[in-house]
């Protein structure tokens, strides 16, 4: 009997423990009931012209597959033999209502190039929508439907979001409308390749094609982000999804609503991350800031006196911890406004005043230049680099006054990221830049490589400039 009572007590205790754990788990039902109606399904149609006498597009009718192609291959349709003269390219996405009179936020890639945008509400009503404006740099778009008294999503403050906090996504993955998924915030301020203006919120919420443009809610039922991208090797969710902070999205929305486009500040510089080796080369105490690799002639930075080799530590009083911070700071600054830039130059900091420029609507076309050939190949130097002095024609084509062209990189004991076609413009010697003008001069600079173990070079690669640290053969 005693043994039976002990077993009963243990079982009862375990049951209480399970109930206590259940009480601690989040309950999303109230959030979904109150905010679910603010989420909409978006389908778009784009007429694509192809070749005559062809086979149908292989994904025609597969909305989810086409949305995936549309996201990762914008504006590109596979060049298949026998493509029909004209067919409909359909795409699926999500969005959420931000005003009772029919303004809806979604992703720019959801509506990009669409000839028709159709919005479906949770009460099954459907409306044709007008695209008021879209911003590809942040992937935010504002559309409008002709309706009134619509339920409006509550907006939160993404700056107060904490890593580890529960979040909920509602959208239409693979066309399954009003699907609810949940997870936690994995990281904040995440930088992604080619996405300089968005400090993404990373989550492990299940996001799939069709979720794009849908809201990310906190536990208060407030929208704190717009689901935009996933990292996937399979095309489906792998627990790595990224959302645009709602604060940034609403700033974009305000401009899109007012004038249909977004105006951003611009300095006119090329920057790169400050590594440990680069910080040592410039006598900077620790890796921080944004290293200026190029300055566009006549730009706001050029007029302010910012130079190649400067490290921008602060912009308008805000510290630049990483190079990715600077484009966001400058981009959010109103063009024409004045700001103070703190730079690190030749071992000390100084402040410069700048009048912020504006990013043009379209980027200029890239410039290419022919490097030419050599009838007699010079021998490689101690780094295994075959160098040549550019001709006057090459200097004009490249837009440079001096430098050495890397014709070939041969095997050597040195560790280098230099490639054939690079142009070495200058070297950092004791914190100062020294222009490189001849192979002999460059070989003299290399004499100190055995002692210092490394040297930093300013290199022109294509249309961009970058700093590269080279290490001697003895520095393993």
């Amino acid at each position: 009997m005693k043994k039976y009572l002990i077993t009963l007590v243990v079982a009862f205790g375990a049951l209480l423990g399970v109930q206590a754990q259940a009480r601690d788990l989040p309950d999303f039902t109230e959030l979904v009931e109150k905010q679910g109606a603010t989420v909409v399904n978006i389908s778009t149609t784009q007429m694509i012209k192809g070749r005559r006498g062809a086979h149908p597009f292989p994904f025609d009718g597969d909305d989810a597959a086409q949305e995936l192609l549309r996201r990762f291959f914008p504006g590109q349709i596979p060049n298949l033999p026998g493509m029909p003269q004209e067919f409909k390219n359909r795409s699926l996405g999500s969005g959420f209502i931000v005003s009772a009179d029919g303004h809806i936020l979604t992703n720019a890639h959801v509506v990009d190039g669409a000839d028709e945008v159709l919005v479906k509400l949770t009460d099954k009503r459907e409306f044709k929508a007008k695209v008021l404006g879209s911003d590809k740099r942040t992937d935010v778009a504002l559309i409008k439907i002709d309706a009134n008294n619509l339920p409006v999503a509550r907006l939160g403050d993404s700056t107060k979001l904490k890593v580890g906090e529960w979040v909920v996504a509602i959208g239409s993955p693979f066309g399954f409308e009003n699907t609810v998924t949940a997870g936690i915030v994995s990281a904040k301020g995440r930088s992604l390749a080619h996405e300089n203006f968005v400090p993404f919120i990373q989550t492990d919420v299940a996001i799939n094609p069709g979720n794009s443009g849908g809201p990310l809610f906190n536990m208060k039922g407030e929208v704190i982000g717009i689901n935009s991208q996933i990292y996937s090797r399979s095309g489906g969710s792998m627990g790595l999804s990224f959302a645009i902070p709602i604060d940034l999205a609403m700033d974009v929305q305000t401009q899109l609503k007012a004038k249909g486009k977004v105006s951003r500040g611009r300095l006119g510089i090329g920057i790169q991350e400050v590594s440990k080796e680069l910080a040592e080369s410039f006598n900077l105490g620790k890796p921080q800031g944004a290293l200026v690799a190029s300055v566009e002639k006549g730009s706001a930075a050029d007029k302010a006196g910012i130079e190649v080799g400067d490290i921008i530590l602060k912009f308008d009083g805000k510290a630049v911890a990483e190079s990715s911070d600077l484009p966001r700071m400058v981009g959010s600054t109103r063009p024409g406004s004045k700001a103070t830039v703190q730079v690190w130059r030749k071992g000390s900091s100084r402040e410069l005043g700048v009048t912020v420029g504006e990013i043009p609507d379209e980027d200029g076309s890239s410039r290419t230049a022919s490097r030419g050939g050599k009838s007699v190949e010079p021998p490689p130097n101690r780094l295994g680099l075959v160098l040549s002095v550019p001709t006057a024609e090459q200097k004009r084509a490249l837009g440079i006054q001096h430098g050495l062209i890397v014709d070939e990189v041969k095997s050597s004991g040195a560790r280098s990221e230099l490639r054939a076609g690079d142009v070495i413009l200058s070297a950092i010697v004791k914190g100062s830049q020294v222009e490189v003008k001849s192979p002999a001069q460059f070989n003299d600079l290399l004499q100190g490589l055995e002692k210092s173990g490394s040297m930093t070079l300013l290199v022109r690669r294509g249309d961009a400039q970058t700093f590269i640290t080279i290490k001697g053969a003895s520095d393993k």
Side-chain angles (χ1 to χ4, degrees):
M1 184 67 179
K2 183 177 180 182
K3 186 176 181 180
Y4 173 75
L5 289 174
I6 292 175
T7 303
L8 186 63
V9 169
V10 171
F12 184 67
L15 180 61
L16 290 177
V18 171
Q19 291 177 338
Q21 289 179 349
R23 285 197 301 268
D24 292 337
L25 291 174
D27 183 356
F28 309 115
T29 55
E30 185 178 351
L31 184 158
V32 175
E33 288 173 358
K34 291 183 177 180
Q35 296 298 315
T38 68
V39 183
V40 303
N41 171 262
I42 298 175
S43 58
T44 65
T45 302
Q46 181 182 19
M47 298 304 298
I48 303 294
K49 293 184 178 180
R51 298 195 185 109
R52 292 180 179 272
H55 303 294
F57 185 52
F59 298 112
D60 195 20
D62 188 341
D63 294 339
Q66 292 195 29
E67 199 277 336
L68 191 64
L69 285 173
R70 193 181 179 91
R71 179 66 187 98
F72 293 101
F73 302 97
Q76 301 179 40
I77 299 296
N79 189 19
L80 300 174
M83 184 175 290
Q85 184 179 9
E86 187 176 83
F87 63 90
K88 292 182 179 180
N89 180 31
R90 297 184 178 89
S91 178
L92 288 176
S94 304
F96 57 99
I97 304 167
V98 292
S99 70
D101 61 351
H103 287 88
I104 296 169
L105 276 183
T106 185
N107 284 151
H109 78 260
V110 170
V111 298
D112 184 33
D115 294 306
E116 182 182 74
V117 179
L118 191 66
V119 171
K120 186 176 182 180
L121 308 183
T122 55
D123 61 10
K124 307 304 180 183
R125 286 186 294 165
E126 295 185 357
F127 299 87
K128 285 187 177 181
K130 177 182 179 182
V131 179
L132 298 184
S134 65
D135 180 49
K136 292 183 180 180
R137 288 188 171 95
T138 56
D139 197 22
V140 174
L142 179 66
I143 63 177
K144 174 77 167 60
I145 61 175
D146 188 12
N148 292 295
N149 302 317
L150 297 176
V152 178
R154 292 175 55 197
L155 304 182
D157 185 350
S158 51
T159 62
K160 295 180 180 179
L161 196 64
K162 295 181 179 180
V163 175
E165 183 176 335
W166 280 97
V167 284
V168 176
I170 304 179
S172 303
F174 300 109
F176 294 102
E177 299 174 14
N178 303 107
T179 296
V180 182
T181 53
I184 63 167
V185 176
S186 304
K188 293 174 59 180
R190 196 63 97 189
S191 297
L192 302 179
H194 311 299
E195 304 282 359
N196 295 329
F197 296 99
V198 180
F200 284 99
I201 302 166
Q202 180 185 331
T203 77
D204 67 350
V205 178
I207 300 296
N208 289 287
N211 275 112
S212 293
L216 185 69
F217 293 97
N218 61 17
M219 289 302 293
K220 297 178 182 177
E222 300 169 332
V223 179
I224 43 82
I226 303 177
N227 297 310
S228 173
Q229 299 190 35
I230 60 173
Y231 177 86
S232 175
R233 294 178 178 176
S234 64
S237 174
M238 294 182 65
L240 286 169
S241 57
F242 302 92
I244 305 158
I246 192 62
D247 304 70
L248 173 64
M250 291 308 293
D251 288 340
V252 172
Q253 182 261 176
T254 299
Q255 294 195 56
L256 292 178
K257 190 174 182 180
K259 50 188 178 182
K261 67 174 186 175
V262 178
S263 298
R264 288 188 175 85
R266 180 176 187 265
L267 291 181
I269 58 176
I271 60 173
Q272 68 183 88
E273 193 67 35
V274 180
S275 64
K276 180 177 177 293
E277 292 80 8
L278 288 173
E280 292 173 353
S281 297
F282 289 94
N283 295 325
L284 189 63
K286 63 178 181 179
Q288 61 177 320
L291 176 57
V292 179
S294 62
V295 178
E296 183 181 318
K297 188 174 181 180
S299 65
D302 184 35
K303 294 175 182 178
I306 296 175
E307 301 176 358
V308 172
D310 285 348
I311 298 178
I312 298 179
L313 302 177
K314 289 184 179 181
F315 178 81
D316 204 21
K318 300 174 184 176
V320 180
E322 300 178 358
S323 62
S324 58
D325 295 336
L326 187 62
R328 300 167 190 163
M329 293 177 179
V330 178
S332 62
T333 305
R334 183 173 54 83
S337 60
K338 298 184 182 298
T340 300
V341 179
Q342 185 186 77
V343 302
W344 179 263
R345 182 185 298 172
K346 297 180 179 178
S348 62
S349 63
R350 64 183 69 187
E351 291 189 347
L352 303 172
V354 60
T355 300
V356 179
E358 183 175 4
I359 294 179
D361 290 338
E362 297 292 337
D363 294 328
S365 58
S366 59
R367 182 177 64 246
T368 59
S370 173
R371 296 286 196 269
K374 295 288 178 292
S375 58
V376 179
E377 181 182 285
N381 60 20
R382 62 192 301 172
L383 291 181
L385 304 176
V386 178
L387 304 174
S388 64
V389 178
T391 64
E393 181 181 352
Q394 288 174 323
K395 288 180 180 179
R396 285 195 297 271
L398 293 166
I400 61 175
Q401 301 295 322
H402 57 84
L404 293 175
I405 296 176
V406 179
D407 290 320
E408 190 177 353
V409 179
K410 297 193 174 182
S411 61
S412 79
R415 292 184 292 177
S416 170
E417 295 180 17
L418 291 168
R419 309 172 188 169
D422 286 348
V423 181
I424 302 173
L425 299 175
S426 60
I428 307 300
V429 179
K430 296 181 180 179
S432 299
Q433 288 192 67
V434 177
E435 295 180 350
V436 175
K437 298 181 178 180
S438 71
Q441 176 212 13
F442 185 70
N443 287 334
D444 289 340
L445 293 174
L446 292 180
Q447 294 296 326
L449 194 58
E450 292 283 339
K451 297 179 181 179
S452 65
S454 64
M455 181 168 64
T456 297
L457 305 175
L458 176 62
V459 175
R460 172 73 174 271
R461 178 172 292 169
D463 288 333
Q465 291 182 186
T466 184
F467 284 95
I468 292 176
T469 299
I470 59 175
K471 296 185 178 182
S474 61
D475 186 19
K476 299 293 185 183

